């Protein structure tokens, strides 16, 4: 009985130590993601933590471009000796991961995709697209976790060839949630930047963008020119047909 008791205590102690290790890694990642001014560096740091914790070959983020029916690899960290794939994965058809999307969008299930043996997909017609994409990258197994922003599926976080802590997904799910918040901040920042530098009527660059471009070109040793275009009769259109029609003329010309 004493031996069994000691074994149970040892197991509980190991479990507690593992929990503390996960908590520390999670806190470190949260601090880095929230406090780091360089968004890309912060996300890559989080991916590196995941890479090390799961002893994986590659960790990455894919973001969906729903209008184009594509998904794109936007962030990636690789272990030493593993070839990066991010440049080759910029226009992946959503059809390749259609089965994942169906599972991810059932949010009540909190689905995490786990493929223990990629080679086993080869002879299954329903998984052939996945196999043809994953196998050439040297992926033997993987984990994929959905990323939601404002309740909509935005992308997923992936881990290739994980070797450790396969039964501990707490760190992964919590980090994915935090990364989703940071991605949302990035999207908001990009939208605000776009509004700052674009004319809302035409979508062309505005005066602020023009001034900054002039500063950028100042001192360059190549010829630079500026063109001007007037719209004859715009005042007459505004006065007689209304400003809505005048705006349409401007948009059409632009």
């Amino acid at each position: 009985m004493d031996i069994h008791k000691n074994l149970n205590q040892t197991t509980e102690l190991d479990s507690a130590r593992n929990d503390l290790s996960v908590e520390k890694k999670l806190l470190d990642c949260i601090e880095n993601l929230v406090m780091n001014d360089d968004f890309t560096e912060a996300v890559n740091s989080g991916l590196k933590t995941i890479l090390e914790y799961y002893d994986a070959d590659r960790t990455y983020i894919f973001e969906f471009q729903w209008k184009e029916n594509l998904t794109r690899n936007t962030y990636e960290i690789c272990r030493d000796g593993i070839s990066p794939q991010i440049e080759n994965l910029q226009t992946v058809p959503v059809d390749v991961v259609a089965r994942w999307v169906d599972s991810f969008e059932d949010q009540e299930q909190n689905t995490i995709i786990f493929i223990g043996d990629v080679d086993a997909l080869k002879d299954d017609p329903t998984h052939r697209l996945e196999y043809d994409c994953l196998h050439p990258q040297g992926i033997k197994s993987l984990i994929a976790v959905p990323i939601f922003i404002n309740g909509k599926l935005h992308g997923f976080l992936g881990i290739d060839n994980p070797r450790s802590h396969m039964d501990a997904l707490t760190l992964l799910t919590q980090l994915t949630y935090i990364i989703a918040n940071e991605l949302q901040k990035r999207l908001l920042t990009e939208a605000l930047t776009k509004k700052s530098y674009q004319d809302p009527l035409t979508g062309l660059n505005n005066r602020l963008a023009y001034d900054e471009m002039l500063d950028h070109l100042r001192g360059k040793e190549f010829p630079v020119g500026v063109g001007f275009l007037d719209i004859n009769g715009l005042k007459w259109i505004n006065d007689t047909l209304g400003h809505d029609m005048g705006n349409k003329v401007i948009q059409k010309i632009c």
Side-chain angles (χ1 to χ4, degrees), residues 182-242:
E182 295 305 306
L183 286 173
Q184 185 174 14
K185 291 180 186 177
R186 188 206 71 190
L187 294 173
L188 178 60
T189 300
E190 290 175 350
L192 291 174
T193 300
K194 184 177 180 180
K195 288 182 178 181
S196 298
Y197 288 94
Q198 283 190 354
D199 172 56
L201 176 63
T202 64
L204 298 181
N205 285 351
N206 61 15
R207 177 62 182 267
L208 177 60
Y210 173 75
D211 288 342
E212 290 198 4
M213 179 58 70
L214 288 182
D215 289 338
H216 176 71
L217 293 173
R218 200 179 307 277
K220 302 292 184 181
E221 295 183 359
F222 53 79
V224 176
V226 178
F228 292 88
L229 176 66
D230 288 334
I231 303 176
N232 293 333
L234 182 60
K235 182 178 185 306
W236 179 88
I237 293 173
N238 286 332
D239 291 343
T240 58
L241 302 178

Side-chain angles (χ1 to χ4, degrees), residues 123-152:
D123 298 323
D124 185 343
T126 62
H127 298 287
R128 184 69 197 198
L129 282 176
E130 292 172 56
Y131 175 82
D132 288 342
C133 180
L134 301 175
H135 179 73
Q137 300 178 54
I139 301 174
K140 302 298 182 182
S141 62
L142 67 81
I143 302 171
V145 185
I147 296 173
F148 288 93
I149 293 181
N150 294 328
K152 181 180 179 180

Side-chain angles (χ1 to χ4, degrees), residues 5 22 40 59 85 103 122 129 148 181 196 209 222 224 230:
K5 183 177 180 180
V22 172
T40 298
T59 55
Q85 296 293 321
S103 297
K122 182 177 181 180
L129 282 176
F148 288 93
N181 287 333
S196 298
F222 53 79
V224 176
D230 288 334

Side-chain angles (χ1 to χ4, degrees), residues 23-253:
E23 293 278 344
K24 185 179 185 306
K25 287 182 179 295
L26 183 61
L27 288 173
D28 289 343
C29 282
I30 292 173
E31 181 178 4
N32 199 14
L33 282 166
V34 173
M35 302 302 294
N36 199 323
D37 292 333
D38 187 327
F39 175 79
T40 298
E41 181 181 328
V43 171
N44 285 340
S45 176
L47 292 179
K48 184 178 180 181
T49 296
I50 295 171
L51 183 86
E52 294 172 350
Y53 184 73
Y54 290 96
D55 191 18
D57 284 347
R58 189 184 297 115
T59 55
Y60 46 84
I61 291 174
F62 272 77
E63 296 181 68
F64 290 109
Q65 296 175 304
W66 294 112
K67 291 182 179 179
E68 294 81 13
N69 199 38
L70 298 172
T71 182
R72 184 166 69 93
N73 190 178
T74 51
Y75 302 92
E76 178 192 64
I77 293 292
C78 302
R79 74 187 300 156
D80 292 341
I82 299 298
S83 300
Q85 296 293 321
I86 189 169
E87 295 299 328
N88 304 322
L89 299 169
Q90 293 303 298
T91 56
V92 179
V94 172
D95 290 345
V96 172
V97 291
R99 184 178 66 90
W100 303 9
V101 170
D102 289 341
S103 297
F104 289 155
E105 288 187 331
D106 187 359
Q107 297 184 45
E108 294 182 358
Q109 299 298 321
N110 295 318
T111 301
I112 293 178
I113 299 293
F114 174 69
I115 301 177
D117 183 7
V118 169
D119 288 339
L121 305 178
K122 182 177 181 180
D123 298 323
D124 185 343
T126 62
H127 298 287
R128 184 69 197 198
L129 282 176
E130 292 172 56
Y131 175 82
D132 288 342
C133 180
L134 301 175
H135 179 73
Q137 300 178 54
I139 301 174
K140 302 298 182 182
S141 62
L142 67 81
I143 302 171
V145 185
I147 296 173
F148 288 93
I149 293 181
N150 294 328
K152 181 180 179 180
L153 181 61
H154 178 78
F156 59 90
L157 184 149
I159 306 177
D160 290 346
N161 303 329
R163 300 174 182 85
S164 299
H165 300 105
M166 301 298 292
D167 58 343
L169 297 177
T170 301
L171 174 68
L172 189 57
T173 53
Q174 292 179 332
L175 269 180
T176 301
Y177 177 77
I178 296 165
I179 287 173
N181 287 333
E182 295 305 306
L183 286 173
Q184 185 174 14
K185 291 180 186 177
R186 188 206 71 190
L187 294 173
L188 178 60
T189 300
E190 290 175 350
L192 291 174
T193 300
K194 184 177 180 180
K195 288 182 178 181
S196 298
Y197 288 94
Q198 283 190 354
D199 172 56
L201 176 63
T202 64
L204 298 181
N205 285 351
N206 61 15
R207 177 62 182 267
L208 177 60
Y210 173 75
D211 288 342
E212 290 198 4
M213 179 58 70
L214 288 182
D215 289 338
H216 176 71
L217 293 173
R218 200 179 307 277
K220 302 292 184 181
E221 295 183 359
F222 53 79
V224 176
V226 178
F228 292 88
L229 176 66
D230 288 334
I231 303 176
N232 293 333
L234 182 60
K235 182 178 185 306
W236 179 88
I237 293 173
N238 286 332
D239 291 343
T240 58
L241 302 178
H243 285 274
D244 285 344
M245 183 60 68
N247 287 341
K248 290 179 181 179
V249 171
I250 294 172
Q251 290 171 328
K252 182 69 173 178
I253 292 174

